Amino acid sequence: MKILTVDDSIAVREIIKNALDVLGYESVEAENGVAALRKLHENSGEILLILLDWNMPEMDGITFLRTIKQDPDFRNIPVTMVTSENEKGKIINAISEGAKNYIIKPFTQEELIKKILESLGIA
């Protein structure tokens, strides 16, 4: 049971990995959207959820979100944005593009775990 974390910050990926360890999920990590697409193909059918930052080099989060929501192999994977973007318009945009949930940085481990469980339909 794998969850893909897409964030250019190693520190944020580590924080998320620790929360996933608590929940018993395997963490797959990518530093941007391009690397995340590669990881999705390498782990096809195994990714249960994507935790996605907005601002990253090479391919940003919203472009990645649009790309996977157009792909029949990946469109049904729930995506939770985990980002510092807190403008109402951007939040609405991400949800309208297909994000299931939205977490604004900084966040607590408890908040993150709650949103992960919600996104997976467990809580």
Side-chain angles (χ1 to χ4, degrees):
M1 301 189 318
K2 298 178 181 179
I3 295 179
L4 175 60
T5 301
V6 188
D7 198 303
D8 58 329
S9 167
I10 294 169
V12 171
R13 291 197 313 263
E14 188 63 30
I15 290 165
I16 292 172
K17 182 183 182 313
N18 290 337
L20 295 176
D21 287 345
V22 167
L23 292 169
Y25 290 101
E26 183 179 339
S27 177
V28 176
E29 299 178 17
E31 64 277 4
N32 60 54
V34 173
L37 287 174
R38 194 169 42 250
K39 295 286 184 174
L40 275 176
H41 287 284
E42 290 170 2
N43 295 276
S44 186
E46 297 181 76
I47 302 293
L48 300 175
L49 173 67
I50 299 168
L51 302 172
L52 180 62
D53 188 20
W54 191 302
N55 298 304
M56 299 175 289
E58 292 190 56
M59 180 188 287
D60 65 19
I62 204 73
T63 303
F64 173 82
L65 180 60
R66 286 182 189 129
T67 301
I68 65 163
K69 291 303 176 183
Q70 294 172 10
D71 188 321
D73 292 334
F74 306 125
R75 73 168 49 123
N76 294 322
I77 301 171
V79 175
T80 295
M81 299 299 295
V82 182
T83 179
S84 58
E85 292 294 341
N86 61 2
E87 295 171 24
K88 185 177 179 181
K90 288 198 173 189
I91 295 169
I92 291 168
N93 183 34
I95 300 298
S96 70
E97 293 286 351
K100 184 173 180 106
N101 235 319
Y102 204 98
I103 302 171
I104 297 171
K105 296 175 187 174
F107 51 83
T108 65
Q109 187 176 46
E110 292 76 22
E111 267 183 293
L112 179 62
I113 288 172
K114 181 177 182 247
K115 293 289 188 175
I116 289 169
L117 295 175
E118 281 177 14
S119 297
L120 292 171
I122 296 171

